[in-house]
Amino acid sequence: MSTTRQRAPAWQHAAPARGVHASIALLCLAGLLSSLYLGWTEETSLPDGVGYSGGFSAGWEHMLNQPAYFTVVSALLVCLTSALMALRTRRSSQLFHSLRLAGVVQVIITGVVFNLLLRTDVPMTGVWLFNDRVLHVILPVLVPVVWLGLGPHGRINGRVVLGSTVIPLAWLAVTLIRGPVLDWYPYTILDVPGMGYAGVSVYVVAILLGFMGLACLLWLIDYALSRFRRGQARA
């Protein structure tokens, strides 16, 4: 499947479209700032039954550790690419589109994995509630909807899909390397001391396959939308 490049509808590059991208970037920024605030004011909590016993104290230690969470990395990618789209929608860099695709796929995975596997019955209020709703509920729905409607489309190819895997793979590698050193893991599904590498690998492989499946699905949608637009232009 090759990349189909043609002129996108003018409205996708108009001020209202850039305003939508800017709004997404600001929403991501609000979620990220709330994560930093929680890191500054709260220490890490140790889930019941896990095999690790490390953690971080409230303050700089926990705040600077926020990028260890996949949720934060995902929101950061979407924040960056959406802000760039708000400034200029016409972008041809494969690096940009790899980051853009990675961000969209990662926020979808964030929403699915957190709400199906990690969500607890612990009530949340205030900043905790805001942080949860923005990063785990709103963005996983809103970001793919905006991508579907505003693109950019016609720039995804095999290299972009492969490039989109670099950041999640790097995050996973760093997480598993630093985990034994710190005796701490950001998620219970990565609890190597408790489940062993065999147990953790089930979740890791499933999520990686899900990532590739979603990335390829978005590639297919991107290709279909591009062909549809090209057909309209010829009509």
Side-chain angles (χ1 to χ4, degrees):
M1 189 184 299
S2 60
T3 305
T4 306
R5 297 183 181 182
Q6 69 279 334
R7 187 178 300 277
W11 57 267
Q12 290 190 347
H13 303 290
R18 295 198 303 273
V20 171
H21 292 304
S23 298
I24 294 294
L26 289 174
L27 185 61
C28 289
L29 181 61
L32 291 167
L33 290 176
S34 67
S35 291
L36 294 177
Y37 173 82
L38 291 173
W40 179 259
T41 57
E42 303 280 348
E43 63 181 11
T44 52
S45 58
L46 196 64
D48 295 333
V50 295
Y52 55 90
S53 58
F56 297 89
S57 302
W60 287 108
E61 189 178 65
H62 193 197
M63 188 177 76
L64 294 178
N65 187 58
Q66 292 304 301
Y69 295 98
F70 189 79
T71 299
V72 172
V73 175
S74 304
L76 184 60
L77 279 176
V78 174
C79 184
L80 173 63
T81 55
S82 296
L84 291 174
M85 288 288 292
L87 295 174
R88 180 167 60 87
T89 55
R90 301 183 190 275
R91 296 183 178 274
S92 59
S93 166
Q94 285 197 339
L95 173 60
F96 172 82
H97 290 289
S98 291
L99 295 175
R100 177 73 172 166
L101 180 61
V104 175
V105 174
Q106 285 185 206
V107 293
I108 296 174
I109 290 177
T110 292
V112 172
V113 172
F114 186 88
N115 288 292
L116 291 183
L117 299 178
L118 301 173
R119 182 169 294 283
T120 66
D121 296 328
V122 177
M124 290 179 285
T125 58
V127 179
W128 274 110
L129 181 62
F130 173 81
N131 179 269
D132 173 69
R133 292 297 181 265
V134 170
L135 298 182
H136 299 136
V137 178
I138 298 175
L139 289 180
V141 173
L142 192 58
V143 169
V145 168
V146 170
W147 176 86
L148 187 64
L150 299 180
H153 298 303
R155 294 289 182 176
I156 299 179
N157 55 31
R159 290 184 179 180
V160 168
V161 171
L162 289 177
S164 70
T165 67
V166 172
I167 288 182
L169 287 174
W171 174 85
L172 178 62
V174 170
T175 298
L176 294 179
I177 289 172
R178 75 197 292 257
V181 177
L182 300 173
D183 193 24
W184 179 85
Y185 297 82
Y187 301 108
T188 55
I189 59 175
L190 297 177
D191 180 13
V192 174
M195 296 188 292
Y197 284 103
V200 168
S201 66
V202 173
Y203 293 104
V204 170
V205 170
I207 291 172
L208 290 178
L209 289 176
F211 183 98
M212 287 302 299
L214 279 171
C216 289
L217 176 61
L218 294 186
W219 182 13
L220 180 63
I221 293 172
D222 178 81
Y223 179 75
L225 288 174
S226 297
R227 287 202 62 179
F228 176 74
R229 190 173 300 128
R230 183 172 58 183
Q232 281 189 322
R234 290 176 177 175

